[in-house]
Amino acid sequence: MSRPDVIRSYVAIGDSITEGIDDGSGPGGAYRGFADRLADHLGSFTPDFRYANLAVRGRRMRHIFGEQTEQTLEWRPDLVTVLAGGNDVLLPGRNLDRLGEQFERGIRRLRDAGLRVVIVSGHDTGWIPVLRYYRGRIAVFSMHMRAVAERTGAEIVDMWALTSLADPRAWSEDRLHMNSDGHQIVAARIADLLGVPMGSRKDWEDPWDTPPREVPRILRRRENRRWARQYLVPWLSRRAMGRSSGDGRLPKRPALDYLHDEATRLRMARALDEGVG
């Protein structure tokens, strides 16, 4: 088995999921997310690893394949992850075939520049009240993503195929974003695809030793009503008004910079030299 290419630079582009919303496991409770987790893992293999995360919550494809892609092409990293389209697919009246064409143009630009691209496709919302009505649209767009990967030579991680993400324990209270466990599942799946596993296959395929807790129907209904008032209605209202929770926000890692400080890079380099010697 050939050894995977060393990845020395990584840029993540996308929206709130790539930004890491609701994975508050970073320093001081800061959002971390699958991209940060993947970067930490990839950075453990090389001292001079560099990482940027250009994702911002609420961003649509025109942003992701606009300014985020332009900056990525300027840097020409070894790896790009792309999670895009969720905020477009959920808008009423958007033509999914045209969105698929827009997605392909964006991916093709990255691939034509010689970049290694990993697409992260949509997840199954069948278990989520109200959002299950978008299930068909998400499924169709995910098939467009798979076709784009096939035509462009991009790699793809299909979140729909990750049955572990159909478990409520992988999601935060708002049911729109993954929690720390969910982000870890996605990061581990991408690492496995890249040939640098974070652990065993079970860690991302079946991370829990027990089934989900069964909640009585009356309590589920009460919880669903509370969730709709607290999270769903405000989310739908913002979209109806053309607003986003990311308006005015900047990326959390806007520069392709070293993941490790200078002292850590020197220490890692010495350890690698001693290992080779």
Side-chain angles (χ1 to χ4, degrees), residues 228-242:
R229 287 193 306 270
Q230 187 171 348
Y231 297 108
L232 183 63
V233 172
W235 180 72
L236 292 173
S237 298
R238 284 196 302 271
R239 272 145 187 79
M241 298 173 65

Side-chain angles (χ1 to χ4, degrees), residues 91-232:
L91 287 173
R94 298 303 302 273
N95 185 293
L96 296 179
D97 294 335
R98 289 178 184 168
L99 289 177
E101 292 168 0
Q102 184 181 353
F103 188 87
E104 180 161 1
R105 287 194 297 270
I107 296 298
R108 197 169 290 282
R109 288 190 68 202
L110 294 166
R111 291 292 296 141
D112 286 349
L115 305 184
R116 184 176 187 181
V117 176
V118 174
I119 297 167
V120 183
S121 73
H123 64 278
D124 187 355
T125 59
W127 65 277
I128 307 172
V130 181
L131 289 184
R132 67 169 58 102
Y133 297 111
Y134 292 96
R135 191 185 191 202
R137 290 180 61 82
I138 295 169
V140 169
F141 190 69
S142 292
M143 292 306 296
H144 277 303
M145 289 178 165
R146 295 190 69 87
V148 168
E150 180 73 22
R151 288 193 292 264
T152 63
E155 296 161 274
I156 187 166
V157 164
D158 187 353
M159 290 205 292
W160 195 291
L162 289 171
T163 54
S164 51
L165 292 184
D167 191 311
R169 288 174 291 185
W171 295 87
S172 70
E173 188 177 88
D174 72 2
R175 305 180 187 176
L176 301 169
H177 300 97
M178 292 178 289
N179 59 22
S180 297
D181 289 334
H183 279 283
Q184 180 62 26
I185 288 167
V186 175
R189 178 66 186 97
I190 298 173
D192 197 70
L193 175 72
L194 297 174
V196 284
M198 289 185 175
S200 71
R201 184 184 179 98
K202 185 180 184 301
D203 292 338
W204 55 264
E205 195 171 60
D206 184 23
W208 293 285
D209 295 326
T210 59
R213 182 173 62 92
E214 285 289 335
V215 179
R217 181 178 298 179
I218 188 170
L219 294 180
R220 286 203 308 271
R221 289 176 176 171
R222 187 181 305 165
E223 174 58 24
N224 289 339
R225 287 195 295 268
R226 185 197 66 80
W227 167 76
R229 287 193 306 270
Q230 187 171 348
Y231 297 108
L232 183 63

Side-chain angles (χ1 to χ4, degrees), residues 255-267:
L256 184 59
D257 204 356
Y258 290 115
L259 185 66
H260 308 295
D261 59 32
E262 185 176 5
T264 302
R265 296 200 304 271
L266 289 171
R267 185 167 62 250

